[in-house]
Amino acid sequence: MSNVFVIDSDYKPLNPVHPARARRLLTQGKAAVYRRYPFTIVLKRVVDQPEVHPLRLKLDPGSKTTGIALVNDTNGNVVFAAELEHRGHAIKDSLDSRRGVRRRRRNRKTRYRKPRFQNRRRKKGWLPPSLESRLATILTWVARLCRSAPITALSQELVKFDMQLMENPDITGVEYQQGTLQGYEVREYLLEKWERTCAYCGKQDVPLQIEHIHPRANGGTHRISNLTLACEPCNSAKGTQDIAVFLAKKPDVLKRILAQVKKPLKDASAVNATRFALLERLKACGLPVECGSGGLTKYNRTTRGLAKTHWLDATCVGKSTPSAISHKGVVPLLITANGHGRRQMCVPDKYGFPEKHKQRRKTFLGYRTGDMVKAITPKGTFEGRIAIRHRPSFRLGKVDIHPKYMRCIHQADGYEYTQKGVRNAPPHV
Ligand SMILES: [Zn+2]
């Protein structure tokens, strides 16, 4: 288990403690459980001028999952880790279905109206709702963690590769394959530019090598515009031939490669609007924000011998990453964003025919859908999220349980939590 967050009775965040220490504080009655997820205890006294060790909150934002890690920069300990599963896709799906329903209804019911065209304006900095939700969930968690741990700095992965580092000819000229930081940036850039395929045969999911279009032996340079990716057989087949000779029988491939080579650097680096918007909002939190590139993250992760998971990626974001990372015993908290339910009052069947009508009330007998409960019943003990029914038994997983057996352990907050052993980590990359 990861460390336990501690706050004092003035809600001041203190140093996170080992679970054993927390258990002792709880059994001695010096503290009480404040929050279940992430596990936080509250001391029953005020600590004047506590001696806290500052922590750094590191984020690796992704489209589906965001890695979160709390790292102590001075000793390299990972204090807490989480993986936040976004619901951007769910939002997109429900907006699409709403659009479909509306379209059908308006076609059915309304007189002809002239199409309204380009008569709406969006605010500056507007993002589609699916992306907005990703930002909002990340910011929610930044704020939550700042309330329960002494966080003094933030780190965020901003771009996939560092353009400046690559365009500097001093750096691109040397050791591009020797595992230096520049090598990683170049590699990430080429993978993105050549879409992770062999330029010559188009194979995917094979180990790719960096390949000189104009061969080194004939005076080709290490410049990024002379590099591409090729699988091992293609690379050795080409050898020191000129590309025009090697691809003499495949003129269309030759044409495509030469066209792709000329594409300027800027086009290839898809600027991710969400990440920049996130940076702006993180800066507004008032803490210093450090930015890192994906190439740097990969370099840090590989040199520190860590596996590829979202939370370990987050641990390795940025230049501030300590030279040795210790994450013994840290199990990431898996957080899934589920939203806060719907406002839909009428539930139609699959043909759109109104079937059920919901009650306006969201709570029943003091519970609401999404509450995490522990139920000790004559049939056994159950734990999980409930779905309320307007009858004296609620759904918990696949069983119906009367609320008299239930004890709420975490009130619905739009997220689902799991903390079991480490999820099957993909092999070391
Ligand atoms: Zn190939």
Side-chain angles (χ1 to χ4, degrees):
M1 194 180 167
S2 309
N3 284 354
V4 173
F5 293 125
V6 186
I7 55 176
D8 75 356
S9 56
D10 273 352
Y11 305 106
K12 250 198 323 271
L14 307 173
N15 292 325
V17 297
H18 191 272
R21 176 95 188 278
R23 202 174 303 124
R24 216 166 329 127
L25 287 169
L26 289 170
T27 48
Q28 288 169 354
K30 289 180 181 168
V33 177
Y34 180 69
R35 184 190 274 279
R36 183 76 175 232
Y37 298 103
F39 198 73
T40 309
I41 58 174
V42 53
L43 291 185
K44 292 181 178 172
R45 66 189 180 95
V46 179
V47 182
D48 285 324
Q49 292 167 344
E51 217 179 278
V52 289
H53 306 302
L55 297 173
R56 178 180 283 277
L57 175 58
K58 307 182 105 179
L59 301 165
D60 173 26
S63 73
K64 279 188 188 141
T65 311
T66 290
I68 299 174
L70 266 181
V71 181
N72 187 334
D73 278 343
T74 44
N75 57 15
N77 283 347
V78 180
V79 172
F80 171 81
E83 291 188 353
L84 176 56
E85 201 95 20
H86 296 297
R87 58 187 292 269
H89 298 280
I91 289 177
K92 173 92 174 61
D93 290 347
S94 64
L95 286 178
D96 281 349
S97 91
R98 183 181 75 179
R99 190 198 296 129
V101 168
R102 238 176 219 181
R103 193 75 276 133
R104 256 177 289 153
R105 184 177 68 238
R106 289 183 179 171
N107 277 335
R108 224 165 40 227
K109 291 244 175 86
T110 39
R111 68 197 154 76
Y112 176 74
R113 276 190 289 193
K114 254 196 200 163
R116 298 202 282 179
F117 180 66
Q118 286 195 340
N119 62 350
R120 285 166 213 198
R121 202 166 289 161
R122 280 172 174 151
K123 268 188 214 153
K124 207 167 161 261
W126 177 90
L127 287 171
S130 55
L131 302 187
E132 191 65 50
S133 113
R134 278 176 205 139
L135 289 196
T137 42
I138 293 175
L139 291 170
T140 300
W141 278 93
V142 169
R144 272 187 195 181
L145 292 172
C146 283
R147 280 200 295 270
S148 38
I151 293 169
T152 52
L154 305 172
S155 295
Q156 184 209 349
E157 187 180 306
L158 186 65
V159 284
K160 286 207 164 155
F161 28 78
D162 193 335
M163 282 293 177
Q164 273 178 332
L165 207 54
M166 276 191 308
E167 281 176 350
N168 184 348
D170 290 347
I171 299 169
T172 48
V174 286
E175 294 183 307
Y176 65 96
Q177 248 173 346
Q178 310 298 311
T180 57
L181 172 57
Q182 296 79 35
Y184 277 82
E185 301 285 356
V186 169
R187 232 165 222 290
E188 284 298 294
Y189 171 78
L190 289 174
L191 285 170
E192 190 73 16
K193 181 168 177 181
W194 298 92
E195 291 159 3
R196 290 166 200 272
T197 51
C198 168
Y200 300 125
C201 68
K203 247 187 224 159
Q204 271 182 330
D205 300 323
V206 287
L208 295 170
Q209 300 175 340
I210 292 183
E211 146 72 19
H212 293 81
I213 294 170
H214 185 56
R216 281 289 292 148
N218 304 350
T221 64
H222 283 309
R223 283 195 69 95
I224 196 102
S225 54
N226 190 39
L227 300 178
T228 183
L229 293 171
C231 63
E232 208 272 320
C234 290
N235 199 354
S236 48
K238 181 170 175 282
T240 57
Q241 292 174 67
D242 193 70
I243 185 163
V245 179
F246 177 61
L247 293 174
K249 286 181 186 166
K250 297 179 189 164
D252 47 331
V253 176
L254 178 64
K255 208 175 138 197
R256 180 179 55 81
I257 292 176
L258 292 180
Q260 209 161 347
V261 160
K262 284 209 188 103
K263 261 209 281 182
L265 289 180
K266 261 182 194 153
D267 291 358
S269 76
V271 174
N272 193 333
T274 335
R275 289 181 165 202
F276 280 90
L278 178 63
L279 175 64
E280 287 310 308
R281 294 189 201 182
L282 287 177
K283 277 181 185 165
C285 293
L287 294 174
V289 188
E290 173 203 47
C291 296
S293 70
L296 177 61
T297 303
K298 198 168 173 185
Y299 173 76
N300 284 343
R301 199 185 68 226
T302 321
T303 49
R304 281 141 185 96
L306 302 172
K308 177 159 176 51
T309 57
H310 292 288
W311 65 279
L312 284 173
D313 261 348
T315 308
C316 296
V317 166
K319 283 208 186 87
S320 65
T321 309
S323 52
I325 296 276
S326 143
H327 61 87
K328 200 170 151 258
V330 175
V331 178
L333 176 66
L334 309 180
I335 307 166
T336 314
N338 279 332
H340 295 272
R342 304 182 286 185
R343 292 192 196 89
Q344 196 178 27
M345 285 282 121
C346 171
V347 184
D349 65 7
K350 64 178 176 179
Y351 306 105
F353 189 78
E355 203 180 31
K356 295 173 210 158
H357 293 276
K358 279 202 182 147
Q359 292 210 3
R360 203 163 280 268
R361 222 161 36 139
K362 271 198 157 180
T363 57
F364 189 59
L365 299 177
Y367 289 93
R368 62 187 291 171
T369 297
D371 282 346
M372 291 190 103
V373 301
K374 188 169 187 177
I376 302 168
T377 71
K379 283 182 193 157
T381 306
F382 303 89
E383 204 176 304
R385 272 161 61 95
I386 49 163
I388 60 159
R389 301 280 179 265
H390 290 274
R391 62 170 190 237
S393 70
F394 302 152
R395 288 302 275 181
L396 201 168
K398 283 179 182 160
V399 286
D400 271 345
I401 294 178
H402 193 283
K404 73 182 173 190
Y405 298 118
M406 290 180 181
R407 189 166 57 85
C408 186
I409 54 174
H410 191 85
Q411 282 193 341
D413 59 356
Y415 297 93
E416 193 176 338
Y417 305 91
T418 29
Q419 188 151 41
K420 287 167 197 156
V422 185
R423 247 199 320 202
N424 36 349
H428 195 93
V429 179

